[in-house]
């Protein structure tokens, strides 16, 4: 019975998402606009020569689109499958019935047409959300991170060894911290309510330009304990020296990955083009 419930729930999620896409497309057909539908996994080149990108899905879909958008094109996220509180409560003892969080999504099918009208008639404006630049041995990696960066050994059971410090105009702002842990996570304000918050960090104002870092599961931190979690200001950068034979840099999840080797230097900063996003009202009120 439990398996049938789960399968029914998953199929319902698929149908709800599919219907949301169809609904939004029908709304766009009523407007005097040209538009084109592109599946997220078919994106392979920068998005150019458009006035607006609409993502239909959840935060993951918006993140995927952000990797192909510069700071001139605004993005509107539509949460196609919002979590239903009654459903979560009903199935709480059976399985996790949470749907899409849609933290950065300003629209659902309930208000999509109103928001599109507000955008077309210049009654709504996007906000500039900070992204994070990542350099490896002085070479900038792409794309910019909208949510977070995780640097860790490829095997989660293996200790990650690295050192880090913050710098400003080539001058150290903090002591060099040597770490043995399960990795280092650094987030933007937009990403601070996701894995960063779950790991013991704190939610930052959505328009903050700071970065927040946390050392994951440090081994015997001792006197360095207070340095395992902190902030990198907009005028600073974080410099990380990697001291394992191998490692990985994950940008905004598991789909964008870069390899690192012993002695590599990674630099993270908020010195990156911002992303224009139409945000939910509760994030900016």
């Amino acid at each position: 019975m439990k398996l049938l419930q789960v399968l029914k729930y998953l199929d319902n999620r698929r149908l709800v998402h599919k219907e949301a896409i169809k609904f939004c497309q029908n709304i766009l057909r009523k407007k005097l606009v040209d538009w084109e539908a592109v599946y997220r996994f078919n994106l392979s080149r920068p998005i150019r020569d458009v006035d607006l990108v609409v993502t239909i899905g959840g935060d993951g879909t918006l993140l995927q689109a952000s990797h192909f958008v510069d700071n001139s094109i605004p993005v509107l996220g539509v949460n196609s499958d919002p979590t239903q509180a009654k459903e979560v409560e009903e199935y709480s003892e059976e399985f996790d019935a949470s749907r899409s969080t849609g933290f950065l999504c300003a629209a659902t099918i309930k208000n999509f047409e109103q928001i599109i009208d507000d955008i077309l008639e210049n009654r709504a404006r996007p906000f500039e959300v900070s992204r994070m630049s990542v350099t490896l041995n002085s070479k900038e990696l792409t794309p910019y991170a909208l949510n977070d960066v995780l640097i860790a050994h490829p095997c989660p059971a293996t200790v990650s060894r690295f050192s880090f410090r913050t710098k400003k105009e080539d001058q150290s702002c903090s002591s060099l911290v040597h770490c043995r842990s399960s990795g280092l996570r650094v987030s933007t304000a937009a990403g601070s309510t996701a894995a960063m918050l779950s790991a013991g960090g704190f939610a930052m104002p959505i328009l903050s330009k700071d970065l927040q870092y946390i050392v994951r599961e440090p081994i015997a931190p001792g006197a360095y304990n207070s340095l395992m979690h902190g902030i990198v200001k907009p005028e600073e950068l974080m410099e990380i020296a990697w001291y394992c034979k191998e490692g990985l840099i994950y940008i905004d999840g598991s789909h964008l990955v870069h390899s690192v080797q012993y002695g590599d230097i990674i630099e993270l900063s908020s010195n990156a083009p911002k992303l224009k996003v139409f945000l939910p009202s509760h994030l900016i009120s």
Side-chain angles (χ1 to χ4, degrees):
M1 187 65 180
K2 179 179 177 181
L3 177 60
L4 290 177
Q5 283 182 319
V6 173
L7 292 175
K8 183 179 179 180
Y9 161 79
L10 292 174
D11 189 54
N12 178 258
R13 290 203 62 179
R14 179 185 64 83
L15 292 173
V16 168
H17 174 65
K18 190 175 180 179
E19 288 301 311
I21 293 174
K22 189 182 299 184
F23 176 88
C24 293
Q25 289 178 331
N26 287 336
I27 294 296
L28 292 175
R29 289 189 183 101
K30 294 164 50 179
K31 310 301 174 182
L32 297 176
V33 295
D34 296 322
W35 59 275
E36 177 185 359
V38 180
Y39 285 100
R40 59 183 284 189
F41 295 114
N42 290 337
L43 284 173
S44 59
R45 62 183 65 183
I47 300 172
R48 305 196 190 283
D49 302 320
V50 300
D51 299 309
L52 175 68
V53 170
V54 178
T55 66
I56 305 172
D59 288 321
T61 309
L62 194 152
L63 279 173
Q64 176 82 358
S66 76
H67 297 155
F68 297 90
V69 177
D70 63 17
N71 59 348
S72 67
I73 302 172
V75 179
L76 169 65
V78 181
N79 186 350
S80 64
D81 187 28
T83 292
Q84 302 171 26
K86 289 184 178 179
E87 185 179 58
V88 173
E89 183 179 357
E90 179 182 352
Y91 294 120
S92 61
E93 295 186 5
E94 301 294 330
F95 60 92
D96 181 6
S98 299
R99 293 179 179 246
S100 174
T101 301
F103 178 72
L104 294 174
C105 296
T108 64
I109 60 171
K110 293 181 179 179
N111 64 355
F112 176 69
E113 184 169 16
Q114 181 62 60
I115 292 179
I116 284 292
D117 287 340
D118 288 344
I119 292 172
L120 293 176
E121 297 173 22
N122 294 317
R123 294 193 299 264
R125 67 182 181 91
F127 291 83
E128 293 190 334
V129 176
S130 289
R131 291 191 275 194
M132 188 188 331
S133 70
V134 185
T135 66
L136 175 59
N137 298 327
S138 301
K139 180 181 179 181
E140 188 170 70
L141 304 181
T142 55
Y144 301 110
L146 177 60
N147 242 25
D148 60 18
V149 167
L150 171 64
I151 308 169
H153 193 280
C155 174
T158 299
V159 173
S160 295
R161 297 172 183 267
F162 57 92
S163 299
F164 72 86
R165 62 183 172 184
T166 56
K167 296 174 65 177
K168 178 181 178 183
E169 296 179 352
D170 295 326
Q171 299 293 320
S172 294
C173 297
S174 70
S175 303
L176 187 63
V177 182
H178 306 290
C179 295
R180 290 182 301 146
S181 73
S182 59
L184 174 71
R185 186 181 300 279
V186 185
S187 83
T188 62
S192 65
T193 63
M196 176 61 70
L197 185 62
S198 298
F202 56 85
M204 301 160 66
I206 189 63
L207 300 182
S208 173
K209 299 177 183 178
D210 294 344
L211 301 178
Q212 183 179 170
Y213 70 85
I214 192 165
V215 176
R216 299 197 316 167
E217 302 167 332
I219 298 172
Y224 284 124
N225 190 54
S226 63
L227 300 176
M228 296 293 146
H229 177 214
I231 289 293
V232 183
K233 304 301 291 182
E235 65 275 10
E236 301 172 349
L237 62 82
M238 173 175 262
E239 180 184 79
I240 305 113
W242 187 251
Y243 293 125
C244 286
K245 183 179 179 181
E246 54 185 332
L248 294 173
I249 302 173
Y250 298 93
I251 297 177
D252 285 342
S254 61
H255 298 296
L256 294 166
V257 184
H258 297 272
S259 296
V260 290
Q261 300 176 353
Y262 185 94
D264 281 349
I265 301 295
I266 305 136
E267 292 183 344
L268 307 175
S269 81
S270 58
N271 184 25
K274 293 178 173 55
L275 182 71
K276 291 183 177 179
V277 188
F278 290 93
L279 294 170
S281 57
H282 69 272
L283 290 183
I284 53 179
S285 58

